[in-house]
Amino acid sequence: GRTLQVKWRYPDFTTPSRSRSFQQFVSDYSLILATVTQLFDENVELVKGIRLLGIGITNLNNRDQLPQLTLDI
C-alpha cells in the first residue's frame, strides 16, 4: 500500500489516528515497522494508557505479482 496508519484508543474511548503516505507502494517490512513506530512514538500519550492499538495499510496496489507479507510476531 501507499498509506500506513496507526489508530489507538484511550481508556476514555477517544480514538485518534495518524497516517503517512508515500509516493511509491510500500512492501518492505522494515520500512513499515519504522514508520508505524515513529507515528506511534510521536503521537501516543502513554501516560493516559491505551486499550486498543491498530495498524493499517491502505491505497493498495492491485498487481497480482506482489507477494503476501508475513509478520514474525
Side-chain angles (χ1 to χ4, degrees), residues 4-8 17-22 29-45 53 55:
L4 304 177
Q5 180 184 37
V6 177
K7 181 183 278 191
W8 62 97
S17 66
R18 296 292 180 271
S19 63
R20 180 159 301 140
S21 294
F22 295 87
Y29 175 75
S30 298
L31 178 59
I32 294 170
L33 180 61
T35 302
V36 298
T37 299
Q38 182 180 21
L39 288 170
F40 182 87
D41 290 344
E42 290 175 354
N43 295 286
V44 177
E45 298 176 50
L53 176 65
I55 297 169

Side-chain angles (χ1 to χ4, degrees), residues 1 25-27 60-69:
F25 289 98
V26 176
S27 62
L60 301 176
N61 188 347
N62 291 330
R63 286 190 262 166
D64 292 332
Q65 68 268 23
L66 294 176
Q68 173 69 41
L69 296 177

